[in-house]
């Protein structure tokens, strides 16, 4: 309809990225897993590709056409021409299929949500559009003519669709530019390749804060070095050097430092690219050195920063009185403001470091909560087989599996942890808010699902095969006409969570629940069928006798992991020799839900350590400057009987005041920022007072260690030499 009735549309193609396992030859028993892009022949009109071999744009009838990328060819067909070869898939369900390799193309760019190693092409086909809105739906990509107003087109299409189905209050189509999918897509819940704008802001902010700390350090350490150059500066001024010349000299030195630092940083950057790409899981399409615009922009920013932060030390050092500098007097009564500026900068860099440290502690607490919180079922020693077609052998396979040593229980189910909240959902009237709807999720499995998961029964009973209403099949229900279906479905037994009973006001078991089409026979304790990022929703578990499709959950005895997995693999090959066996540990699957937060925790750990190191370096610069200026004072105090400890305390108190001010500034800022971050989680930690105390004490300890290192060195020096110092 889009292609025939809307001239703004040039082409339409369904495009979905999937994981596919391919058997490349007879020796390749288990096949290789690849990222595949499933689409139709309209693909060639949609995306720019460079064909390296074959004629893949010409579709060959008889089997699914496969186009492989250059890297895939080099990896698996390095010494032969793959065009024309027949390969097979290792299916999780259905029958084994043959694929014909029709061509080789240049690798798809890594900075794309359509990241794939092979393209699976099928012939374009027209599907029936039903007025009752039933049928197969998929995500489609649409090529628009240049200059098309997408919002206006969307309005036209949705107006037509509403008229077509005769219901203006139901589903509508949404359009989104392809470049927005990675960071802004609401459609990307189950998309592997997706990013987070929030994390980009967080990491960019941390990088900026680290740069600020480094700039503050440069200013403080440069002014600290000025003590050693007093004579030079004074002599230059007496010999006629003007202030402009001195400023130019000091700025040149600043730029030279930055040039050397940039060269070193670029070398380190190049060596770190490969580890970073391994950490991210994909190559970087653009890098600092491969993109001219990025390279020139970065150099311009570096030059600007070197000028901006070099101007203050240059201005200060060129402005001292010549007579005073020759005598070694850097700070006079006119320099009070300069000391204030340097101390303010120390406060700033420690405040930044404390903010990052507090963020690290809170991220660690939140990740720990999500990984360790009781989710209502026993995730330990629980295996999951991915969704497969069991045919008529599912029940027999399960019974054979239960006879294996170490297997405690098993269940075929349409829901496994981390794969959504259920196999279907239904909106029913919300008894708590008149006129509103509430979504109810349904989980479907065999009679043993609740026991295999380890759900806790609060009232009523679990499913039992002796009750006919516990063992209805979905196929039999779907074959009934509408009048008989409602009555049979309403009588079907179910288990509900305690939260569901509360929200839907279910006080009596064994009574049908209107609109939900079920009869609860038991109430189980609440469990989280989704990530802890999402709030709990009403959930109903229904049973099916011998499901023909779904995953399998297997409960095993602790310590029997190797024995059970070996038995499972052997049994699978007996029952399904041509099928893919995908086995995962449920606790690993659950932990993988929070991979993004775990990576954020790792990055904060690194950045927190780096920021504290830089802050300590800054305070080290100030203490070096102070001890250098007060070397005679230290010598006199020692001659008069002062101990090393008292001298250390003398210097420590002033700097500790700065750290306490930094803690007072950083704490409310960190609290506000992390409170905002936690809003994205339905279940989150409370930010406790001890987090700020811990961060503050850590900063104080680091500062004291840094201060003590230099002051002890000055305090133990020979007082005679100190008093003779120029």
């Amino acid at each position: 309809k889009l292609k025939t009735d809307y001239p703004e549309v040039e082409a339409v193609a369904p495009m979905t990225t999937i994981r596919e396992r391919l058997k490349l030859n007879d020796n390749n028993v288990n096949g290789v897993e690849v990222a595949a892009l499933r689409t139709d022949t309209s693909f060639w009109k949609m995306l720019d590709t460079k064909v390296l071999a074959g004629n893949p744009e010409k579709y060959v009838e008889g089997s699914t056409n496969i186009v492989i990328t250059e890297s895939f060819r080099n990896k698996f067909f390095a010494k032969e021409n793959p065009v024309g070869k027949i390969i097979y898939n290792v299916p999780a369900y259905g029958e084994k299929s043959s694929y014909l390799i029709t061509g080789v193309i240049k690798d798809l760019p890594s900075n794309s949500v359509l990241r794939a190693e092979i393209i699976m092409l099928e012939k374009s086909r027209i599907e029936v559009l039903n007025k009752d809105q039933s049928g197969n739906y998929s995500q489609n990509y649409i090529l628009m003519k240049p200059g098309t107003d997408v919002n206006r087109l969307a309005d036209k299409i949705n107006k037509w669709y509403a008229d077509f189905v005769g219901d203006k209050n139901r589903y509508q189509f949404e359009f989104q530019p392809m470049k927005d999918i990675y960071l802004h897509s609401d459609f990307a819940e189950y998309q592997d390749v997706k990013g987070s704008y929030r994390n980009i802001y967080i990491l960019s902010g941390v990088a900026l804060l680290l740069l600020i700390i480094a700039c503050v350090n440069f200013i403080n350490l440069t002014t600290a070095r000025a003590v050693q150059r007093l004579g030079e500066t004074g002599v230059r001024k007496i010999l006629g050097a003007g202030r402009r010349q001195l400023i130019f000299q000091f700025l040149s030195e600043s730029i030279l430092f930055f040039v050397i630092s940039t060269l070193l940083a670029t070398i380190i950057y190049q060596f770190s690219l490969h580890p970073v790409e391994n950490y991210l899981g994909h190559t970087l399409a653009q890098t600092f050195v491969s993109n001219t615009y990025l390279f020139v922009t970065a150099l311009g920013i570096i030059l600007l920063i070197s000028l901006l932060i070099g101007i203050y030390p240059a201005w200060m050092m060129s402005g001292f009185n010549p007579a005073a500098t020759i005598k070694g007097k850097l700070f006079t009564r006119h320099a009070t403001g300069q000391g204030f500026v340097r101390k303010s900068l120390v406060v700033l860099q420690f405040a930044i470091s404390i903010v990052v440290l507090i963020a690290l502690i809170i991220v660690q607490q939140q990740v720990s909560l999500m990984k360790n919180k009781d989710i209502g079922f026993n995730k330990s020693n629980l295996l999951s087989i991915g969704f497969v077609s069991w045919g008529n052998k599912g029940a027999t396979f399960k019974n054979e599996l239960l006879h294996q040593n170490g297997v405690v229980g098993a269940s075929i189910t349409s829901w496994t942890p981390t794969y959504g909240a259920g196999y279907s959902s239904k909106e029913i009237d919300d008894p708590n808010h008149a006129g509103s709807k509430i979504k109810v999720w349904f989980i479907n499995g065999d009679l043993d699902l609740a026991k295999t998961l380890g759900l806790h029964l609060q009232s009523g009973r679990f499913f039992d095969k002796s009750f006919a209403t516990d063992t209805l099949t979905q196929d039999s229900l779907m074959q009934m006409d509408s009048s008989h279906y409602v009555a049979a479905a309403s009588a079907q037994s179910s288990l509900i969570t305690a939260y569901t009973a509360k929200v839907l006001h279910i006080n009596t078991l064994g009574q049908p629940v209107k609109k939900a089409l079920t009869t609860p026979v038991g109430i189980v304790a609440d469990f989280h069928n989704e990530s802890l990022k999402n709030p709990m929703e009403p959930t109903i578990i229904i049973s099916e006798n011998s499901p023909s499709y779904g995953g399998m959950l297997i409960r095993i005895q602790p310590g029997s992991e190797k024995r059970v997995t070996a038995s499972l693999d052997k049994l699978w090959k007996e029952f399904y020799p041509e099928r893919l066996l995908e086995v995962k540990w449920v606790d690993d699957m659950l932990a993988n839900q929070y991979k993004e937060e775990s990576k954020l925790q790792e990055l904060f750990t690194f950045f927190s350590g780096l920021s504290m190191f830089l802050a300590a370096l800054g305070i080290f610069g100030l203490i070096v400057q102070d001890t250098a200026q007060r070397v005679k004072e230290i010598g006199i105090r020692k001659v008069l009987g002062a101990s090393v400890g008292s001298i250390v305390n003398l210097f420590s108190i002033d700097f500790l005041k700065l750290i306490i001010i930094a803690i007072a500034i950083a704490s409310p800022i960190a609290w506000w920022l992390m409170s905002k971050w936690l809003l994205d989680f339905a279940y989150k930690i409370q930010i406790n007072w001890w987090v700020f105390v811990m961060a503050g004490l850590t900063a104080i300890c680091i500062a004291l260690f840094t201060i003590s290192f230099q002051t002890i060195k000055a305090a133990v020096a020979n007082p005679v030499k100190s008093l003779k110092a120029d």
Side-chain angles (χ1 to χ4, degrees):
K1 194 70 178 180
L2 290 176
K3 289 189 288 187
T4 57
D5 289 15
Y6 295 92
E8 300 95 330
V9 177
E10 289 191 2
V12 181
M15 287 193 273
T16 309
T17 51
I18 60 172
R19 302 300 298 183
E20 186 79 357
R21 189 169 288 271
L22 300 176
K23 188 176 180 180
L24 305 179
N25 51 56
D26 293 336
N27 298 324
N28 189 214
V29 178
N30 294 321
V32 293
E33 186 174 314
V34 299
L37 175 62
R38 179 181 288 167
T39 181
D40 64 25
T41 50
S42 298
F43 166 83
W44 301 112
K45 301 176 184 177
M46 306 289 290
L47 301 180
D48 297 322
T49 56
K50 183 178 180 181
V51 177
L52 302 178
N55 185 20
E57 295 184 24
K58 182 180 179 181
Y59 188 81
V60 180
E61 302 283 352
S63 63
T64 299
N65 290 193
I66 279 189
V67 182
I68 64 175
T69 59
E70 183 181 18
S71 60
F72 186 86
R73 179 194 64 183
N74 295 341
K75 186 176 181 180
F76 298 107
F77 300 99
K79 298 180 180 180
E80 55 184 321
N81 180 12
V83 177
K85 279 187 169 292
I86 299 288
I87 60 177
Y88 298 89
N89 68 334
V90 185
Y93 49 87
E95 299 301 321
K96 182 173 69 173
S97 301
S98 62
Y99 298 146
L100 172 65
I101 300 177
T102 58
V104 181
I105 60 172
K106 203 75 174 167
D107 287 355
L108 298 178
S110 60
N111 60 331
S112 167
V113 294
L114 302 177
R115 197 177 295 157
E117 299 170 85
I118 65 170
I119 315 296
M120 301 174 61
L121 292 167
E122 296 178 347
K123 201 162 187 179
S124 297
R125 64 179 187 272
I126 302 297
E127 294 197 25
V128 175
L129 186 64
N130 297 309
K131 289 183 178 290
D132 64 359
Q133 305 190 70
S134 62
N136 295 320
Y137 285 82
S138 62
Q139 183 168 287
N140 286 269
Y141 285 77
I142 302 173
L143 181 63
M144 305 287 193
K145 288 184 178 177
T148 298
D149 186 334
V150 177
N151 292 329
R152 185 177 178 185
L153 177 63
D155 290 339
K156 287 166 57 179
I157 292 172
N158 282 316
K159 182 179 183 302
W160 162 79
Y161 187 67
D163 293 338
F164 175 77
V165 299
D167 185 349
K168 301 181 187 299
N169 298 317
R170 293 196 70 186
Y171 303 115
Q172 289 192 321
F173 294 100
E174 294 183 21
F175 298 83
Q176 182 178 49
M178 186 175 178
K179 64 183 177 62
D180 291 348
I181 296 174
Y182 182 71
L183 291 177
H184 303 284
S185 183
D186 294 329
F187 312 148
E189 183 177 359
Y190 302 109
Q191 182 175 298
D192 290 334
V193 182
K194 58 183 176 181
S196 166
Y197 234 116
R198 181 193 66 183
N199 285 350
I200 289 178
Y201 284 134
I202 290 173
L203 296 177
S204 299
V206 170
L208 180 61
L209 294 178
L210 287 172
L211 183 61
I212 291 172
I213 293 175
C215 292
V216 168
N217 279 349
F218 183 83
I219 294 172
N220 281 340
L221 293 174
T222 302
T223 53
R225 286 182 62 248
V227 179
Q228 302 168 5
R229 303 181 65 181
L230 291 180
E232 175 196 341
T233 305
V235 170
R236 283 179 178 275
K237 296 194 79 171
I238 289 172
L239 292 177
R243 189 169 192 181
R244 182 178 297 178
Q245 291 175 304
L246 291 172
I247 290 175
F248 179 78
Q249 176 198 342
F250 293 130
L251 274 179
S252 299
E253 292 176 0
S254 170
I255 293 173
L256 181 60
F257 273 116
F258 269 82
V259 168
I260 295 171
S261 299
T262 302
L263 290 174
L264 291 173
T266 304
I267 294 171
I268 295 171
Y269 173 81
Q270 283 295 104
F271 279 109
S272 66
L273 274 180
H274 188 63
V276 167
E277 288 176 339
N278 288 338
Y279 181 76
L280 295 174
H282 62 84
T283 57
L284 295 173
Q286 298 185 86
T287 64
F288 168 69
V289 293
S290 67
N291 186 296
T292 304
Y293 173 78
L294 287 178
F295 185 74
V296 173
T297 302
L299 289 183
I301 293 172
I302 291 168
L303 178 62
L304 181 62
I305 291 172
S306 67
L307 290 172
L308 290 176
I309 73 167
I311 195 69
Y312 169 72
W315 181 267
M316 182 198 73
M317 293 164 66
S318 64
F320 294 131
N321 183 285
T325 55
I326 290 177
K327 294 177 183 179
K329 295 179 180 178
L330 177 61
F331 290 100
T332 65
R333 61 187 179 183
H334 302 293
T336 305
Q338 295 164 356
F340 174 78
V341 170
R342 285 191 301 277
K343 290 180 179 180
S344 298
L345 292 176
V346 169
V347 170
L348 173 62
Q349 63 183 180
F350 262 96
I352 292 171
S353 300
I354 293 167
V355 168
V356 176
L357 182 56
I358 291 172
L360 167 63
I361 296 171
I362 292 173
V363 169
Q364 285 179 330
Q365 285 184 296
Q366 181 63 27
V367 172
S368 178
L369 170 74
M370 293 188 296
K371 288 184 176 180
N372 300 315
K373 187 180 185 300
D374 181 10
I375 55 176
F377 63 88
N378 184 5
K379 63 182 179 180
S380 301
N381 305 306
L382 190 61
L383 279 169
S384 172
I385 295 178
F387 281 50
V388 298
S389 176
W390 299 98
N392 57 2
K393 297 187 287 187
T396 307
F397 177 85
K398 174 185 168 181
N399 289 332
E400 287 293 325
L401 183 62
L402 289 172
H403 285 94
Q404 305 300 313
N405 290 331
V407 177
V408 177
S411 175
I412 299 175
T413 170
S414 65
W415 170 85
T416 55
T418 73
Y419 284 86
Y423 83 100
S424 69
S425 64
K426 183 182 298 183
E427 290 188 345
I428 64 175
D429 294 331
D430 186 351
N432 301 296
H433 302 91
S436 298
K437 298 285 186 179
I438 188 170
K439 181 182 287 187
V440 178
W441 284 98
F442 290 82
I443 291 175
N444 182 26
D446 64 23
L447 297 171
D448 299 322
L449 176 60
K451 294 179 181 178
T452 303
L453 280 172
L455 300 181
H456 302 288
L457 185 67
Q458 290 187 343
S459 61
R461 62 176 178 84
F462 280 130
F463 293 128
D464 190 324
K465 63 181 179 181
S466 61
F467 292 89
T469 53
D470 288 9
T471 56
L472 293 174
T473 64
Q474 291 299 304
D475 289 340
S476 63
L477 288 173
M478 295 303 295
Q479 291 173 3
M480 298 179 182
D481 58 46
S482 57
S483 59
H484 290 92
Y485 171 80
V486 171
S490 297
Q492 185 177 21
S493 301
S494 65
L495 301 175
I496 61 173
T497 62
Y499 176 76
T500 308
K502 179 182 177 182
V503 170
L504 300 184
H505 298 176
I506 300 174
N507 301 314
T508 305
L509 296 175
Q511 298 294 323
V513 179
K514 293 181 179 179
K515 302 295 185 181
L517 300 181
T518 185
T519 298
V521 297
I523 298 176
V524 296
D526 290 330
F527 69 98
H528 294 276
N529 48 327
E530 279 192 290
S531 160
L532 292 175
K533 298 177 186 178
N534 303 313
M536 188 173 288
E537 292 186 300
T539 302
I540 296 174
I541 303 173
I542 57 177
S543 67
E544 181 176 0
N545 191 29
S546 300
S548 59
Y549 176 80
M552 178 177 283
L553 295 173
I554 306 166
R555 174 76 59 192
I556 70 171
Q557 292 175 348
S560 62
E561 293 85 356
K562 290 184 178 180
R563 184 169 65 252
V564 169
T565 51
S567 300
L568 177 60
D569 186 62
K570 181 180 178 182
L571 193 63
W572 184 265
K573 289 177 180 178
E574 292 177 7
F575 276 79
Y576 304 101
E578 298 294 331
R579 297 275 178 85
L580 171 65
L581 174 61
E582 184 183 13
V583 181
K584 296 179 181 178
W585 291 100
V586 169
D587 49 3
D588 290 339
M589 295 165 61
L590 293 170
N592 196 50
Q593 292 181 116
Y594 312 114
K595 181 171 60 176
E596 180 184 322
E597 288 73 24
S598 296
K599 284 194 173 183
L600 190 63
Q601 175 187 342
E602 293 168 1
L603 291 171
F604 265 117
T605 301
F606 172 75
F607 289 136
S608 179
L610 184 58
S611 66
M612 276 297 173
F613 170 75
L614 293 175
L617 193 63
I619 207 169
F620 179 78
L622 275 187
I623 199 66
V624 167
Q625 175 184 303
D626 267 17
T627 53
Q629 284 187 266
R630 299 169 68 178
V631 64
K632 282 186 169 63
E633 176 189 341
I634 295 170
I636 293 170
R637 287 180 179 275
K638 288 199 70 177
V639 169
L640 295 176
S643 65
V644 174
S646 64
I647 294 173
V648 172
N649 288 337
L650 176 69
F651 284 88
S652 299
I653 289 173
D654 288 340
F655 284 100
L656 283 180
K657 290 177 182 177
L658 300 180
I659 306 304
I660 291 171
I661 293 172
I663 295 170
I665 294 172
S667 296
I669 295 174
W671 177 85
W672 180 78
L673 289 173
M674 297 314 295
S675 295
K676 290 285 186 182
W677 181 74
L678 289 170
L679 290 177
D680 288 338
F681 301 92
Y683 301 90
K684 49 185 175 286
I685 62 164
Q686 295 295 323
I687 302 178
N688 297 308
W689 60 269
W690 61 263
V691 171
F692 305 98
V693 173
M694 179 184 291
L697 288 175
T698 302
I700 289 172
C701 290
I702 292 172
L704 282 175
F705 175 79
T706 307
I707 295 165
S708 300
F709 177 79
Q710 181 63 24
T711 52
I712 290 173
K713 180 181 176 182
V716 298
N718 190 329
V720 176
K721 291 184 179 180
S722 300
L723 292 172
K724 285 182 179 180
D726 293 333

